[in-house]
Amino acid sequence: MKLSARLAAPLAALALAGLTATACAPATSDGGGGGEDKKTGTLRVWLFREVNNQPKERVVDAAVEAFTARHDGVSVDVRYIPTDSRAERMKAAFNDPASAPDLVEYGNTDTAGYVRDGGLADISEEFAAWDEAADTDPTARQSVTVDGRVYGVPLFVGVRALYYRTDVFDELGLKPPATLAQVRETAEAVRAERPDLYGLAVGGAYTYGALPFVWAHGGEVAEERDGAYTAALDDAPSQAGVTAYTDLFGDANCPARQCAQMTGNDTVEAFAGGKAAMAIAGDFSRQAVESGPVKDTYAVVPLPGTTEGEIAPAFAGGNNLGMLKSSSHRTLAVDLMRELAGKESQRELFDAMGFLPTFTDVREEVAQREPFVEPFVRTLAAGARFVPATPAWAQIDAGQVLPTMFQEVVSGRKDVAAATEDAAEAMDEAFRQAAS
């Protein structure tokens, strides 16, 4: 039993620290590595490199140490890869099993595409036999599921809520908005009194900040029937949500000439930099906000829905941990996967990086310890949403279909009806290509 020298970096930012995984061999859903299941040797792991990776490395090191202590003749080689090069690296790994890792961290919107490409192993039986899996958040579980089969374990979840400037609200005698209509009214009230600020920073290229408006109005991105998806952005409820979001662009709040091209990161930077009174940002945005001039002068509440007392459905982002189909260490890989993504590791990950656990009981526990995460936990509990679980989503996302739709409306090039119809047509074409 030895620890690889390359493990000079465990991982506190993506999950992991020491969880007791069962030592018995799990049931096998499908073969890997040509049917081999070696019980010794080196396991290779690829994890995403964070901006500040040291806390993540410490968590990962601890998890790996606990794992190797249970397995003689086993070492672990952990490498941290840039997220922006993951597509090329994963394609190469799928095509060259000899150099591929056993375990890999991946974005939860990548699941369906990786399954289509034949890269991820089906671990449905192992997941079902794992005691801790019963407490996995349903939306997080959905992010590792394709056609009813499970292809990984959720590592952490990220969700967005409404940040607002307490000093500005106190100065103007405002209260946190209780409906989406009040979000716009409050934003315009701020802009009228403080023209140096955006009332609410919004971005024409901020898909996951816009989707809650669509979902809150009863709309959908797409609908699934018998395994086939059909775009729903051009349905009346979805169009109402698109209208509600795009109405936030203009001189009365966030001028289109300045905000149409803004991304989610841009809106967070505007808020953190003191240029906006409100922003829709994630639990993962806290560090950026804390490092800016608005530190100690902001608070967070769930983004409200269309009716007072409701919470707008948020997109459930996050990362997963999966095993490659080519792995020749299935039993060991599943054991290490459970170690890295189990409850104790997710507690460590939250403490080190602030990433929200995917287990509902652990999430409630950390919310009691850290009041900041309470509005995000409430948002998740109210029912977060996920994108269509189809390989087509990667094409839709890369093609900027939704940002283009929002920007066309904001710029005045198209009205909501025309823009949503064109977006739906582009999505349906992507769905057809993925199904062929």
Side-chain angles (χ1 to χ4, degrees):
M1 150 187 84
K2 69 179 184 127
L3 194 64
S4 169
R6 288 187 189 270
L7 228 211
L11 179 181
L14 234 209
L16 315 47
L19 126 65
T20 39
T22 51
C24 59
T28 300
S29 303
D30 64 6
E36 293 182 286
D37 190 10
K38 299 176 183 177
K39 302 301 191 296
T40 60
T42 299
L43 270 70
R44 292 178 289 191
V45 181
W46 287 359
L47 301 171
F48 290 153
R49 181 185 302 133
E50 308 300 325
V51 175
N52 177 11
N53 207 54
Q54 291 183 351
K56 179 175 185 174
E57 292 174 4
R58 287 192 290 270
V59 174
V60 173
D61 284 344
V64 170
E65 184 175 1
F67 168 78
T68 55
R70 297 195 304 274
H71 299 285
D72 290 335
V74 176
S75 63
V76 178
D77 180 351
V78 178
R79 303 193 184 195
Y80 295 89
I81 65 173
T83 57
D84 57 6
S85 67
R86 73 186 189 278
E88 295 80 6
R89 287 174 179 264
M90 289 299 292
K91 182 178 180 180
F94 294 165
N95 291 331
D96 182 16
S99 63
D102 295 277
L103 295 179
V104 64
E105 178 182 349
Y106 63 92
N108 62 10
T109 58
D110 294 330
T111 306
Y114 289 167
V115 171
R116 175 200 58 190
D117 294 340
L120 295 178
D122 179 347
I123 63 162
S124 300
E125 279 70 40
E126 291 92 337
F127 189 84
W130 185 22
D131 291 344
E132 294 188 351
D135 295 319
T136 301
D137 176 85
T139 305
R141 185 191 299 260
Q142 181 186 354
S143 78
V144 295
T145 303
V146 178
D147 295 332
R149 307 300 294 176
V150 177
Y151 294 89
V153 296
L155 198 54
F156 68 87
V157 65
V159 71
R160 294 164 177 82
L162 185 67
Y163 285 65
Y164 69 96
R165 290 272 300 276
T166 52
D167 56 338
V168 173
F169 274 51
D170 288 345
E171 173 193 335
L172 302 180
L174 299 172
K175 295 181 179 180
T179 65
L180 284 179
Q182 288 181 22
V183 168
R184 179 182 176 184
E185 294 167 3
T186 303
E188 293 179 351
V190 170
R191 181 77 171 175
E193 295 295 327
R194 292 286 302 273
D196 57 315
L197 297 175
Y198 302 135
L200 170 70
V202 288
Y206 189 10
T207 298
Y208 298 123
L211 286 180
F213 288 76
V214 173
W215 290 324
H217 283 82
E220 296 289 349
V221 175
E223 295 178 341
E224 185 265 340
R225 180 177 298 174
D226 298 328
Y229 283 91
T230 302
L233 284 172
D234 53 346
D235 291 349
S238 299
Q239 290 179 337
V242 172
T243 298
Y245 185 71
T246 54
D247 279 351
L248 291 164
F249 293 80
D251 291 342
N253 173 48
C254 201
R257 60 187 177 277
Q258 298 167 0
C259 303
Q261 301 300 318
M262 283 179 24
T263 63
N265 285 343
D266 293 331
T267 64
V268 173
E269 289 176 7
F271 182 82
K275 298 178 181 178
M278 294 184 289
I280 299 169
D283 55 282
F284 42 83
S285 305
R286 184 182 188 183
Q287 187 174 26
V289 176
E290 285 286 317
S291 63
V294 302
K295 176 183 166 83
D296 300 326
T297 60
Y298 73 94
V300 184
V301 294
L303 181 69
T306 57
T307 302
E308 191 164 344
E310 292 181 346
I311 295 176
F315 168 71
N319 286 0
N320 300 328
L321 191 64
M323 178 173 66
L324 266 65
K325 212 171 190 178
S326 58
S327 175
S328 59
H329 296 94
R330 186 180 186 96
T331 298
L332 290 172
V334 169
D335 191 19
L336 180 57
M337 185 187 303
R338 290 170 170 173
E339 188 79 47
L340 292 175
K343 291 186 177 182
E344 184 57 34
S345 293
Q346 291 200 17
R347 290 186 184 97
E348 297 286 340
L349 176 60
F350 173 79
D351 290 339
M353 302 294 292
F355 293 161
L356 283 177
T358 63
F359 299 103
T360 55
D361 56 339
V362 179
R363 203 156 59 212
E364 291 171 359
E365 171 192 314
V366 300
Q368 292 179 353
R369 291 194 283 113
E370 176 50 79
F372 170 79
V373 304
E374 188 271 341
F376 301 100
V377 172
R378 284 176 56 202
T379 298
L380 285 165
R385 300 286 190 88
F386 194 59
V387 296
T390 164
W393 184 256
Q395 178 180 339
I396 293 166
D397 195 31
Q400 298 285 294
V401 173
L402 270 65
T404 297
M405 175 189 71
F406 292 121
Q407 290 166 345
E408 287 175 338
V409 175
V410 168
S411 67
R413 295 196 301 272
K414 295 179 182 177
D415 60 19
V416 169
T420 55
E421 288 169 5
D422 289 347
E425 183 177 342
M427 290 178 66
D428 284 337
E429 178 58 28
F431 293 143
R432 283 192 291 270
Q433 290 181 14
S436 62

